[in-house]
Each structure stands twice: as structure tokens, then as C-alpha cells.
Amino acid sequence: MCMLAAIIALAVVFVRFATVEAGQVRSYSSNVPVRRSSYLVEFHDDAHDGHYHAVRSHGGVTVDHHYDGVFRGMAVSTSASVNPEHLAGYGGVKHVWPNRIHRLSTRASKFNTTSQVLHEKTGLIQTVNELGLDGSGVKIGVIDSGVDYMHPDLGGCWKTEGCPWQYGVDLVGDHSTANPNPTPMDCIGHGTHVSGIIMASGTQVRGVAPKATMGMYRVFPCSDSEGGANSDDSVIIKAMELALKDGMDVVSMSLGTTGEWAESRSAVAAANLVAKGVIVVAASGNDGESGLLTSNSPAIGKGVISVGSVNNWSYKAPYIEVNSPSAGTLRVLKVYNPTDLNNFVFEAPIPLVVSNDVAGSNEGCNPPSTDISGKIALVKRGTCTFGIKAAIAQEAGAEGLLVYDFKAGAPETPSFGNNTIPATMISLTDGNMLAALAAKETLTLTSTNDKFATFEMEDGGRVTGFSSYGPTPELDLGVDISAPGGSIWSTYLRNNGSYASMSGTSMAAPYVAGAVALIKQANPGLLPDQVRNILSATAKPVADPQTGLKYTPFQSGSGLINIYDAAKSRATIDPPTLALNDTVFGPFTGVIHRLAGDNVRWASRTLKIKNTDTTRGMWVSMNHTAADSVTMFNRNGTLVDAAYGTSDETIPTWPANTKPVAGNTLPKVTSLDSNQYIGPGLTGLVTVFITAPSGLDEADRWFYGGFLNFTMRWDGESTQSSYVVPYGGYNGDYSKINVLAPASTGLPAFVDDDGNVVSDVSAALAAKKKTHLAYFMNMPSRLVTVNLVDAAGRFAGYLPHGYNANAVRTLPAYYSYTTAALNGTAYMDKDLAKEATVALGKYHVRLSALRLFGNPKKSSDFEVWESGGFVIGGA
């Protein structure tokens, strides 16, 4: 139960009024981190100065920011005595929101790379060579941790004549928003890395748009009051407003919060920025290991370009040199971390042997039967931790430990605990090769950290495992497009090496932002929606070698960006993606003979295809490619282990491998008008009928998808151009999914402050012991309530933190269960403002969660859990 204890502690730290919700006071779930005593006060459009003055003059209120561009209102800090209801009661106030905390969307990287292969794969080199585009005349605003603008590859200047950095401000300071710096100098490195991806011009790093005019709006400090380098809604929205006032054409944000609704403040502000003509690009998030519904806000805002990550294709890194009598000298890529205690350096040749135990296992989890004393022990990843493997090898006298991965692709960066034995990790392919050679001959190796080689990576170009999945709670895809984000070499702080490799959708988003600048340079008149549509339509779906299909659009969007095709595009398709959130079950009407099956789940959509070439007609044809189906559920409704985000497993896909599968387990598409001619400058309509995979059991809760592949050929031309529209849906009735974790998981449950289950609630309350209802959200919900019910079955008040609007999915990787306190206090209104002491008597708790697409006025649309009875009042 230690996990529950950590969760409750998290809720106590971050939540005060976070679950208040009414007509004016809005809320986040109790597991969502917010700034204590900090709020966004949103005003009606017709509010006047007197309304603003009333809030400013309220005792205990300090105004942090005023807004009038993408958000109408102010950010305030308050004393502990100020209830948000006090602020909501003033005339002109529309809503009062808690101030949501945001984090950077980055991961530790495995390797360094200086290769420009990624620029070839994305069409950038062809764009530069043939079209001469470099971002000139386009203004890009970056909302991030600042920038080391004195870096020579980034201009080495700030707001001087000819300097790329002409705009920007520090909004947070190094440690306190009350003391911002004169310039947005970076102290973390994230913003400097992001900036290099966009516009660096040097021998080691070449950005996508090196001649763009830049602005940096620093929103992340070195550290903050919560103990980390976090930002929040109030500062990020202020940065968006400043970028708007500075006339930015493009805004790039590599930050966010996971699994939110599109109504979150950052998503709405970003959508408003788009509506005012600014192209907004944002990272989709790095919570792919936690499964579906993990896309970030603000990336899910309407019209925002949400960017996922693909792995780099080649890496430059230190290597291990292995000498084999039969194979000669071999170079093996190793994971290198210069700050690691387990630095794997052997300048003199040393024997390498496979470490087997008495059972024949080579996973290094038991004392070895092989003599590894004075040698390098080769073991396979799995069964036990890296720390245990290192401790066992060290105890057996090994001089070093070489762990090879159990899955294909680039190996992860391991942690060997407090053991000091030199240790590192290599790939599955290299490990299998060395194990086979060591079984028949004597191998030796040497290893240093100052010799580098470039390696092609097995998983280059694949969707990165950490890249977040959609859908959004409303079943939109959640991801628009993908770009290189896995192990990207870019500029870094000058006092910390000047260059570094980092991974994350944080790296993919600025790549797309730079690409947008090139497209705007080529076509200055394009509006944000047109740019988003062109980027999506000209991307290339990414093949999944594990299944033989394409990666699901819920993680990859349309696929890998192709800048050249986007810049040269002569057609648009609207909408750019298809969200199948209203499927019908039954026979087709009108096209029944075109598809097999009398009763299938299907949807129809109509696309507008515009020929933007005003001189040549365009011939259109279409075919269809199925993508992986994915789920994060077991048949009993519990989450699969991989959805807990605490392992290296991935959520299940269908097909599970490349073996042929029955056709009815894949989605299908047909159309009666997909082959047509569209005249110069004209628009054609294509209606498609999409069938869900009828051969998959709906109890398994699969999310399916695919790609409509359009081929365009213009009059008088022999070459063709390819365009794509991704689609995604749920294989079942989305409105019938239970949103709470089933009781078999042990939740909901009453727990104490330490996370221990309280079996006798009456006794605990009588002894004044703090008691909480802990529950787990498998899916998001528009409304979750926790209330007391008296012995007569009547409503007896909401518990503290007992009214949650727009509740998010629980992400176990963050130990973020949701809690409501059972302490003898209840609230008789949805605002949680009318506090009442619960009278002596017998009660039980009712937990109600509105299913997705449900109607809050229909009781049958709620999933309801009732506790057993208990006594409040000490009887």
C-alpha cells in the first residue's frame, strides 16, 4: 500500500481548491498538480474596468498577470483565507480556474549524433537544395526555458542589428517570478537545445530554418517553489500573449500536461492564438509507455499542430572493440553516460564470457556457474534489475558487466544502482552475436570513451516508444504528425559542453516549427489551418516492422513530416484527419453490396479536396492502408501491465506480429467517388465508408485506424504526388466503456494517510483518524462526484474534493490516484462552498463517474460505486 501513501501525499501537496467546480469556479481532478493559492480569473467579454478593479481590490489578492489577447482576465495569487468562490462572486467574472503546473516534454537520450541523415529523411535537404528555403522573413517564438543566445551556433547575440534574436523576455527569473532577469538566458539547457533544432547554423548542428527571426519567452526557471523546474498556466498564457503582440508567425511549445481535455486553459489559449492567425506547434507528450489517452495539453487545442516523435536513423557514440578469432575486430555500440559511476573503460584487452547460472540462464540474476572472475560478464536483460545483475557480477569477481537488451532497437540507458563495477548496455542484435561467438571461441574487448563511430540504428525512423498516444477524451486522434525526436544532437549550454543529445517530443515539435517557417516563406499567405492541413496531408505513414502494418495514427498522426512535399503541395484535403466518434452498428445503406457483412460497425465521412493549382486540372485516385489496432485493457476491464508506465513493455497491438491475419480483423474503406477529376482551382468531394474490424472482440476495447492514400496527377505531368488522411476510431460503443477501474484492482477503497486500507471506517472516524476514499480512473470523465448518502438513501453532501469536472485518466507511472476526504465535513453545493458538519448517523459513500459521451442529466450514463455503511459522529 506504499503506492497509495505516495499518492495521497501528492494530492495533499498540490490540491487545495483543485476540485471545486460550479457555474463559475472550475476544477481539475485531485491528482492534477496545481499551484497552491494561485488562480486564473476569466472575465466575460463585456466585463469592464470596474469588474477588474473589484477583483484586484479583494483582500489577500495579488495580481500576477493581466491578459487581453488569448485569454480575457488575470492571474492572481491569494492568501490562504481567500476562497475562489469569493473571486467568482464578483460581477463580470466568468470562471475561476486553478493554476495548472506544466513540465517539459523531454527524456534522457541514449546517444550523441551529428549525422544529417534525419534531414534527408524529412525532405529538408531537398528543400534547401532545390527551393533555397531557409526561414528568411518568418518570425518564430519559442516558449521554453530560455536560450543561451551567446552560443556561436545560435548567433552569439541578443537584439542587436543582424541578430536572429530580436524578441523575447524572461517571465520567471532563475528561482522566483518576482525577480525576472533582463534577458531570457537559459539555465536548464532545454530551450537552448530546442532553439538549435529550429535555427542553429554551425558545423555541428544545422537547424531547419537558420535564417528565421527568433523570439524566446522564458517560462521555466532553474527551480521553483514546488522543488522542480516547472511552469504553469499563468506564465505560459502570458508568453502566448506576448508572442501574439510581437507578431510571431509561428509559436513552438515543447511542454505540457498529460491526458487533459481540450477545455484546459493552456489548450484553449493555444487555440485562441491559432484563431488569431498564429501557427502553433506543440509536443504531443512523452507518456507513451502509459498507453492511450496520454496526449498533452496544449497540443490537443483546436487547430494546434500536435507532434509525435520518431527515432533518429544514425548515431555517433563511443564503442566497444571486440576481437574475435573468426570474425576479426568488431565495433559494438555502447550506451555512454559521462556522469555514470559505472564508466565502462578498459584500455587493455580483457576476456569476455557469457555468465550462465546452474539452470543455464544467462540473465545474471543468480550466482554464475561460469568462471567470470577477472573477466567481462555478458548477461541478458530481464527477470531482475540492472542493480542486482551488477551486484552478482561484482560479488563473483567480474571486472565488468555487459548487458544486452531483450528487445530490438537502441538499448535504453540503464541504472546499475550503487554498484561501482564498470557496466554498460548494448543492443539485442549485438548481444546475440557476441553470445554466439563466445560460445565457441575466446573473445577479448577494449573500450574507451574518446573513440567514436557512427552506427545505423535498428529502430531508426520508427515511432519512438515514449511518444504519447491519443485519443483525446473526445476521441480525436490527439497527434497530427511526427518528426525526429529520439536522440537528437543540438546546441546546449556553453558552460555544459555546448552540445548534447536529448530525446522527446520536445525535440520533434521545434523540428516541425522550423518546417512551418519554410512553408510560410514559400507561401506567405497560408493560414494556420491550411499549413496544418498541408503538413498532415503530405506526411508519410510510418511502417511498423513488428506487425507489417503502419503505426497507429493515435501515436504517429499522419506519419513522418516531408518538408519538400509540403512546400510544393498543390492540393489540400479537409478535414486533415478523421475521428470516427459516432460509428453506427448495422447494415450499410446504399453501399451494402460493396462491403461484406450485414452487421458491422461503420462510419461515413466526406472530404473536400481542393486543387490549388489554378492552371492545371488534377486526377485523383484513392486506396487504403490499415494501421495497427491498439488497446490497453485486459478483457476483465483492468489495464494491461504495459499501461502502468513502469516497465519497458508496450501496449498490445493487432496484429501481434507479421503473420497473416483474417481480413475481418482489420478496418476496411470503400468509396463510390474516390476516382475523379478536379479542375484548376476547384474543389471535389469524396465520401468514404469506413468499417471497424468486425473480427476483433469488442470486449478487448481495441482502438483501430488507418490511412486514406490519395494519388494526385496534374494535367500534362507524368509524375504523381501522394497525400494521406489518417483516421481512427474505437471498436465498440465508446459511451459504454466503464471509466473506473474494476473492483478487482482493490479500488475504490478507504485508506488512511499512510495508504493503508481502512477496514473499519466507523472506528477510524470515531478515533479522528484521517480517512480518504481512493479511486482509480481507467478513462477520463466529464464529471466525477463523491458524495455521502444517509440511511434513507438521500443525498447528504459532497465530500471535500468530491466534485470533479473534466477528470483525467489516472497515470500509474505518476502514482496519481484520486482521493476525496472523509472527515465529517460535507458540502451541499457543487461549488463546495456551503460547508456543513455531517450529523450523527449511518451513511455510505456514492462514487459516480460519467461515461464518455454521456449525458450528465441521465443517471444511466453514470458508472456508480457504493461503499458499505459506516457511522459518522462517533456512535
Side-chain angles (χ1 to χ4, degrees), residues 149 437 538 544 659 733 829:
Y149 47 79
L437 290 171
T538 55
D544 182 357
K659 294 180 180 178
D733 188 339
D829 63 327

Side-chain angles (χ1 to χ4, degrees), residues 735-736 738 849-851 854-864:
S735 66
K736 295 294 190 291
N738 282 340
L850 183 65
R851 293 184 179 90
N855 183 347
K857 295 182 179 180
K858 291 179 62 177
S859 59
S860 59
D861 285 352
F862 284 84
E863 181 184 0
V864 179

Side-chain angles (χ1 to χ4, degrees), residues 314-587:
S314 62
Y315 303 87
K316 187 173 183 179
Y319 58 88
I320 299 167
E321 194 166 83
V322 179
N323 291 299
S324 160
S326 62
T329 301
L330 306 170
R331 287 182 175 180
V332 175
L333 176 68
K334 70 175 181 178
V335 172
Y336 168 54
N337 182 354
T339 64
D340 203 329
L341 292 173
N342 313 94
N343 225 338
F344 196 82
V345 174
F346 296 92
E347 295 185 358
I350 186 170
L352 170 69
V353 297
V354 177
S355 179
N356 292 311
D357 62 20
V358 293
S361 171
N362 69 341
E363 291 184 330
C365 299
N366 296 302
S369 58
T370 310
D371 178 16
I372 62 173
S373 179
K375 304 170 184 175
I376 304 298
L378 178 66
V379 301
K380 189 173 184 178
R381 181 181 185 179
T383 303
C384 62
T385 66
F386 293 113
I388 291 174
K389 295 176 191 290
I392 290 174
Q394 190 166 307
E395 180 68 21
E399 290 293 319
L401 178 68
L402 195 59
V403 183
Y404 66 99
D405 212 343
F406 54 32
K407 57 186 176 66
E412 302 291 333
T413 302
S415 173
F416 294 100
N418 295 323
N419 301 289
T420 56
I421 183 174
T424 191
M425 194 166 175
I426 61 176
S427 71
L428 173 63
T429 298
D430 288 338
N432 284 337
M433 174 188 67
L434 295 181
L437 290 171
K440 63 182 182 180
E441 60 191 37
T442 300
L443 303 180
T444 61
L445 66 77
T446 57
S447 176
T448 66
N449 288 334
D450 56 2
K451 294 181 179 179
F452 290 77
T454 298
F455 298 84
E456 290 188 9
M457 296 311 299
E458 301 170 21
D459 57 356
R462 300 183 193 177
V463 174
T464 317
F466 60 68
S467 196
S468 285
Y469 289 87
T472 69
E474 293 165 311
L475 210 50
D476 292 322
L477 291 187
V479 185
D480 291 308
I481 198 168
S482 296
S487 295
I488 304 300
W489 184 252
S490 186
T491 48
Y492 203 63
L493 303 178
R494 287 169 298 134
N495 62 5
N496 199 4
S498 293
Y499 301 94
S501 182
M502 297 176 73
S503 292
T505 53
S506 272
M507 287 60 252
Y511 200 96
V512 172
V516 168
L518 303 188
I519 295 167
K520 281 287 287 183
Q521 180 186 3
N523 305 279
L526 290 177
L527 299 175
D529 281 350
Q530 293 173 313
V531 173
R532 179 170 173 257
N533 288 10
I534 289 170
L535 279 174
S536 179
T538 55
K540 311 305 174 190
V542 182
D544 182 357
Q546 304 300 318
T547 66
L549 301 183
K550 304 295 185 183
Y551 281 99
T552 172
F554 286 119
Q555 191 180 28
S556 67
S558 293
L560 178 64
I561 187 172
N562 189 291
I563 303 171
Y564 181 80
D565 285 356
K568 294 279 288 181
S569 176
R570 288 183 284 168
T572 61
I573 306 177
D574 188 52
T577 63
L578 298 179
L580 309 181
N581 48 16
D582 58 351
T583 53
V584 176
F585 185 79

Side-chain angles (χ1 to χ4, degrees), residues 134-140 163-165 198-199 209-214 517:
D134 55 13
S136 294
V138 181
K139 295 196 286 189
I140 304 176
C163 180
W165 298 99
I198 295 174
M199 51 71 66
K211 295 297 184 180
T213 301
M214 300 296 298

Side-chain angles (χ1 to χ4, degrees), residues 638-659:
T638 59
L639 295 178
V640 297
D641 289 344
Y644 281 83
T646 54
S647 71
D648 294 303
E649 298 178 37
T650 57
I651 60 173
T653 64
W654 181 262
N657 50 48
T658 56
K659 294 180 180 178

Side-chain angles (χ1 to χ4, degrees), residues 120-421:
E120 296 175 358
K121 298 291 187 179
T122 61
L124 175 60
I125 290 179
Q126 187 178 10
T127 302
V128 173
N129 291 342
E130 294 186 20
L131 305 180
L133 300 177
D134 55 13
S136 294
V138 181
K139 295 196 286 189
I140 304 176
V142 181
I143 298 176
D144 213 290
S145 68
V147 58
D148 186 348
Y149 47 79
M150 294 307 296
H151 194 297
D153 290 4
L154 301 178
C157 56
W158 181 254
K159 293 187 177 181
T160 57
E161 185 176 354
C163 180
W165 298 99
Q166 292 296 323
Y167 302 92
V169 67
D170 181 5
L171 292 169
V172 291
D174 290 346
H175 305 288
S176 170
T177 54
N179 297 294
N181 297 319
T183 64
M185 178 57 76
D186 192 4
C187 59
I188 297 175
H190 186 275
T192 300
H193 196 275
V194 162
S195 299
I197 292 170
I198 295 174
M199 51 71 66
S201 181
T203 57
Q204 289 215 44
V205 180
R206 198 275 189 194
V208 180
K211 295 297 184 180
T213 301
M214 300 296 298
M216 173 57 72
Y217 305 88
R218 185 186 181 206
V219 298
F220 288 91
C222 306
S223 62
D224 64 5
S225 60
E226 306 293 346
N230 298 308
S231 190
D232 58 52
D233 280 340
S234 70
V235 178
I236 292 167
I237 293 172
K238 186 63 178 179
M240 291 189 214
E241 293 224 328
L242 292 173
L244 176 65
K245 291 178 180 179
D246 287 341
M248 294 296 115
D249 300 298
V250 187
V251 165
S252 178
M253 291 187 283
S254 293
L255 51 86
T257 58
T258 303
E260 282 289 355
W261 293 74
E263 289 84 352
S264 71
R265 289 303 84 194
S266 63
V268 171
N272 290 340
L273 193 57
V274 171
K276 290 180 179 292
V278 181
I279 302 165
V280 180
V281 182
S284 70
N286 298 332
D287 288 298
E289 289 97 340
S290 292
L292 298 161
L293 294 137
T294 53
S295 292
N296 267 6
S297 171
I300 60 173
K302 182 180 179 181
V304 176
I305 300 172
S306 176
V307 185
S309 169
V310 299
N311 290 323
N312 210 333
W313 288 264
S314 62
Y315 303 87
K316 187 173 183 179
Y319 58 88
I320 299 167
E321 194 166 83
V322 179
N323 291 299
S324 160
S326 62
T329 301
L330 306 170
R331 287 182 175 180
V332 175
L333 176 68
K334 70 175 181 178
V335 172
Y336 168 54
N337 182 354
T339 64
D340 203 329
L341 292 173
N342 313 94
N343 225 338
F344 196 82
V345 174
F346 296 92
E347 295 185 358
I350 186 170
L352 170 69
V353 297
V354 177
S355 179
N356 292 311
D357 62 20
V358 293
S361 171
N362 69 341
E363 291 184 330
C365 299
N366 296 302
S369 58
T370 310
D371 178 16
I372 62 173
S373 179
K375 304 170 184 175
I376 304 298
L378 178 66
V379 301
K380 189 173 184 178
R381 181 181 185 179
T383 303
C384 62
T385 66
F386 293 113
I388 291 174
K389 295 176 191 290
I392 290 174
Q394 190 166 307
E395 180 68 21
E399 290 293 319
L401 178 68
L402 195 59
V403 183
Y404 66 99
D405 212 343
F406 54 32
K407 57 186 176 66
E412 302 291 333
T413 302
S415 173
F416 294 100
N418 295 323
N419 301 289
T420 56
I421 183 174

